[in-house]
Amino acid sequence: MMTEDERVEGLLRSTLRHAAEDAPQSPAGLPGRVVARSRGRRRDRMRMLAAVGGAAAAVAVVTTGLGGGGGGDVATGVLRPVPSAGVHASDREIGLEGKPPLGDRLVVDDPALGAVELWYARRSDGALAFCRLYRNRTGGSSSSCNAGPVSGDASFEGTTESWPPPEETLYFGAAGDQVAGVNAVSATGQRTPGQITRPAGAPRAIWTVTLPASTRVTGFEFTDARGLTVATATHTPLTVPEATAEPVGTVLRLGGGLSANVFDVPDRTLIWRLDGDPVAADLVRAKDLLRDLGGGRIPVLLHERERRWFGVVADLRTTEVELVFPDGRRAAATTRKDPWGIGVRLFAGRHGRDGDIYGKGFEVVGYDAAGRELWREPYAPTVGR
């Protein structure tokens, strides 16, 4: 019987035929910044698992912007899975995402990512392609165009579905002239209406539906002006082993409903939960955790969710971590000993700030028991990038 490691490895090898979208690059104007390799590998697996049950293979150019010198941004899962229909590598059109859009782009706010841009482009064979750009609130971005041409009255082209799940998930696709409405259909049969938008100059409309991430969407129905169904599309909800894994360690409770524990899924993984719901995950093997692409050590791995900031630090002398904002305001958190023998210290606290803390930037600073500064990690502002 195939082990979980072998299963994941086999799926990953298959998915890497489309790995052009996963090549990390430094964002323009941010030389020398690093991408956390642990999250890159997890991103590969999340994207690979989404590809097994999804709907349209893509080629992407990725720019992953770290807010400073370290891995906070990528660690929170900058990139979202692009569903795949099993299109062969020979069917891809490399560089398509760089072609000029046909008409205006549709920009959709996304609570987890920041913004999603959707548009059409023309393939070399004259057919339409559906493209997207994900702009992460931490500064990173990824763009891709589906390999398969847009066809039919309506089609499902992608989603921001990921794990750990964001608060909400965006689903989107293409719609022809006769489509006047769209409904997402859940596993329980509930129907949720979406939006049909016709960007100026675009050859087709673009449909979107936003739902709580807890909703298991199984398909979409498209209706005409009379309310009659003219097309349907299916969707297989993202499933990952982390969602049902059993812990192998002792739960560490960090206050405010935040906890952490270690799981084997199959890689050893630290999963963070807020009020019982997963909100972040980090691979914790020594070769993955707190490492940049060159294998060098980074001082801190930061996550942020619902005015809480939490993560791990590499320097075991660190007893306090401070979040320093440009206006001088600060938030401090005491570190806790890692009970699983990973070789890190963990921290969690509340920062009390409204809105997106990455917009204006901040610094994370570590101190020892005597109050001496041990390390400092800047996160540059993302507003205006």
Side-chain angles (χ1 to χ4, degrees), residues 178-224:
Q178 67 172 320
V179 175
V182 57
N183 282 284
V185 183
S186 73
T188 61
Q190 179 182 358
R191 284 163 170 75
T192 303
Q195 299 290 326
I196 304 291
T197 305
R198 304 185 185 277
R204 284 188 167 222
I206 296 174
W207 64 264
T208 57
V209 182
T210 299
L211 284 166
S214 57
T215 304
R216 290 181 58 81
V217 175
T218 57
F220 305 91
E221 294 178 345
F222 306 93
T223 56
D224 61 17

Side-chain angles (χ1 to χ4, degrees), residues 44-66:
D44 289 342
R45 193 167 72 201
M46 295 302 102
R47 192 168 295 205
M48 169 269 297
L49 287 167
V52 173
V59 178
V61 173
V62 177
T63 59
T64 307
L66 297 186

Side-chain angles (χ1 to χ4, degrees), residues 274-287:
L274 180 59
D275 297 328
D277 296 324
V279 291
D282 303 305
L283 291 177
V284 297
R285 297 177 302 186
K287 67 178 182 178

Side-chain angles (χ1 to χ4, degrees), residues 112-128:
L113 283 171
V116 178
E117 297 183 16
L118 308 171
W119 72 96
Y120 293 99
R122 186 72 66 186
R123 292 159 44 109
S124 58
D125 61 4
L128 283 181

